[in-house]
Amino acid sequence: MEAVDDLTVRVVGNFAGYIVLYAMDFPVIQSSTINDDLPRGTGPFWYVAMETDSAIRLEPNALWWKQQPTVHSVTFCRYAESGDAIQALQTNAIEMLSTRSPAAALSRKLADMTSMDYGTTTYEMMVPNLGDSSVMSDVRMRQAVMYAIDRSVLANNAYLDMAIQSEVPVLPGSWLYESRSAVYYYSPERSLQLLYDMGWDDLTGDTRLNKRDGIRLIDLEVNIITYNEASSSVRENAANTIASYLNAVGIKTKVEVLSSAAAVRQRMKDREYDLALIGVNLSEIPVLQPLLGTSANLNFNRYSNESMDSLIAYTATVEDEDGLRQTYSEIQMNAVDRLPILGLLFRTGTVLSSRSLGAMNGIRSTNVFRGMEYLTE
């Protein structure tokens, strides 16, 4: 970056593509206060006091170029436990709360509370074992699993309605999301047809699918591994819900809840699993290489596809909006066709308040209180 003159900043990107515009979303502070203990920004508020990891107080920025805030003072408090924060809201110790905790799901439905949900970058998916030892190495099996699951029920029940369904790792509603990627609707019949086409059938009359291997009878079995987050069994509940759907179409399914995410990663590395239900935190910038690129750090099942790698590489160089949108569309359609991951949903957060949130709009995980400056009593 270079200050050309008092009104011009020249920015040179590391990439030539249109996506470099995402890097322009950065905070600006007043140069005269850069060395102060509390540097002043250029937004609607200045912060005037701060206690590290505890609280921060804001007051209106007198130089704000839009309408002056109607809120004259804001104090933000940090709570170590979501339950403590929810109790503080219910007892009027605070007036507003932002949280991603499933513990807030019930509070969203209370008559004396208003709420506004926002999408996060936490993506829930199942990672299939693509090794020859697993039945998931066949794309038809992965398709059968996707058709067997009612993801709307999964989102509402297991994830407590704090989720947005998406088969691809691009947040629905964003300008790069391809709506045609929603191809795997709930259809046990279609799932069964794919399984029958692969040679699986109920040969014993016990509703379990199996096939003959010479004189042996092989049962269709799937092992799902997952882990729980701290003080939450949401993912375990989700894995059990998925298992119930797979059992319903004749796939004998076992769920293992491991001690940590690290333990799940090790099992994936050793390929001792069939499906791994995990969550990954994606970037605010829609870069999909870490998840879908060959040898990338979030590519846990070592998926590799030259066409996918070429499309991902092109996103860094395509120079116009339409070209970038088209490239992302092709990436998403490639993903749902080949199913290197079995995408489920994005987790959501919520803003809860004892007052109206009508002035707030367009909130997202990095700006959950957008529009707060215009709240009224």
Side-chain angles (χ1 to χ4, degrees):
M1 293 187 180
E2 176 190 5
V4 178
D5 55 47
D6 288 346
L7 298 177
T8 308
V9 175
R10 178 184 291 118
V11 180
V12 180
N14 290 327
F15 300 98
Y18 190 86
I19 202 169
V20 78
L21 292 180
Y22 278 89
M24 299 301 293
D25 184 14
F26 54 83
V28 176
I29 63 173
Q30 296 180 24
S31 60
S32 62
T33 69
I34 196 169
N35 294 317
D36 294 355
D37 291 336
L38 297 174
R40 291 182 171 178
T42 54
F45 292 99
W46 286 331
Y47 67 112
V48 296
M50 181 177 69
E51 297 177 27
T52 305
D53 292 332
S54 176
I56 184 172
R57 188 163 67 86
L58 309 180
E59 291 183 356
N61 175 0
L63 303 178
W64 174 236
W65 60 284
K66 291 185 180 180
Q67 174 187 330
Q68 276 292 301
T70 55
V71 176
H72 299 296
S73 179
V74 183
T75 300
F76 288 94
C77 303
R78 181 183 182 276
Y79 290 86
E81 299 292 336
S82 58
D84 294 339
I86 293 171
Q87 184 178 14
L89 180 65
Q90 293 173 341
T91 57
N92 296 318
I94 58 176
E95 294 181 272
M96 193 178 297
L97 166 66
S98 170
T99 180
R100 296 171 57 176
S101 171
L106 178 61
S107 299
R108 293 159 67 236
K109 304 182 185 300
L110 297 177
D112 59 345
M113 292 288 171
T114 57
S115 66
M116 183 175 292
D117 295 344
Y118 57 88
T120 74
T121 57
T122 300
Y123 188 56
E124 299 283 318
M125 62 184 184
M126 290 191 292
V127 179
N129 183 347
L130 301 181
D132 294 337
S133 62
S134 174
V135 293
M136 288 299 150
S137 60
D138 191 322
V139 67
R140 293 173 297 175
M141 181 63 71
R142 304 197 293 273
Q143 291 171 342
V145 168
M146 289 294 283
Y147 280 120
I149 301 169
D150 189 336
R151 288 181 298 112
S152 63
V153 171
L154 185 70
N156 292 338
N157 293 352
Y159 288 94
L160 306 177
D161 200 24
M162 293 187 68
I164 301 172
Q165 296 178 55
S166 182
E167 294 168 31
V168 291
V170 179
L171 189 64
S174 62
W175 74 285
L176 290 174
Y177 175 70
E178 175 52 76
S179 59
R180 292 182 301 135
S181 65
V183 298
Y184 294 105
Y185 52 90
Y186 176 51
S187 176
E189 298 79 12
R190 188 148 190 182
S191 177
L192 277 169
Q193 188 59 59
L194 284 163
L195 295 169
Y196 292 153
D197 291 344
M198 296 173 63
W200 297 100
D201 205 341
D202 180 9
L203 301 177
T204 57
D206 62 355
T207 72
R208 299 294 188 191
L209 297 180
N210 34 58
K211 66 167 59 172
R212 296 192 184 278
D213 181 14
I215 62 172
R216 292 191 309 146
L217 198 63
I218 303 173
D219 290 332
L220 177 53
E221 298 181 345
V222 166
N223 178 32
I224 300 177
I225 60 174
T226 191
Y227 61 98
N228 280 324
E229 300 167 327
S231 63
S232 171
S233 58
V234 164
R235 198 167 285 121
E236 179 180 354
N237 294 338
N240 286 324
T241 299
I242 292 168
S244 69
Y245 280 117
L246 299 187
N247 280 311
V249 295
I251 303 174
K252 186 178 180 181
T253 307
K254 173 186 175 184
V255 173
E256 286 186 77
V257 182
L258 305 186
S259 59
S260 65
V264 171
R265 286 196 299 270
Q266 186 60 49
R267 286 280 290 272
M268 287 192 286
K269 182 179 180 180
D270 296 337
R271 286 188 166 170
E272 296 177 355
Y273 76 108
D274 293 305
L275 290 169
L277 175 60
I278 67 171
V280 292
N281 292 315
L282 303 178
S283 171
E284 280 286 320
I285 302 173
V287 178
L288 299 181
Q289 190 276 337
L291 191 61
L292 300 174
T294 299
S295 301
N297 63 325
L298 297 180
N299 183 348
F300 298 116
N301 59 5
R302 290 165 269 182
Y303 173 73
S304 180
N305 178 263
E306 289 185 5
S307 176
M308 179 68 80
D309 287 340
S310 296
L311 287 168
I312 290 173
Y314 187 54
T315 62
T317 59
V318 60
E319 297 181 356
D320 61 276
E321 179 179 328
D322 290 340
L324 188 62
R325 183 185 287 112
Q326 177 61 34
T327 305
Y328 268 82
S329 171
E330 293 179 33
I331 290 173
Q332 292 168 78
M333 297 311 296
N334 185 305
V336 294
D337 179 52
R338 301 177 185 274
L339 290 177
I341 58 173
L342 278 60
L344 298 174
L345 48 86
F346 280 92
R347 302 284 285 270
T348 63
T350 189
V351 175
L352 288 167
S353 181
S354 56
R355 60 194 297 172
S356 171
L357 297 175
M360 297 172 61
N361 64 86
I363 64 174
R364 60 185 193 274
S365 58
T366 55
N367 195 356
V368 295
F369 295 113
R370 185 173 186 268
M372 179 187 66
E373 61 269 26
Y374 302 129
L375 292 178
T376 56
E377 295 295 338

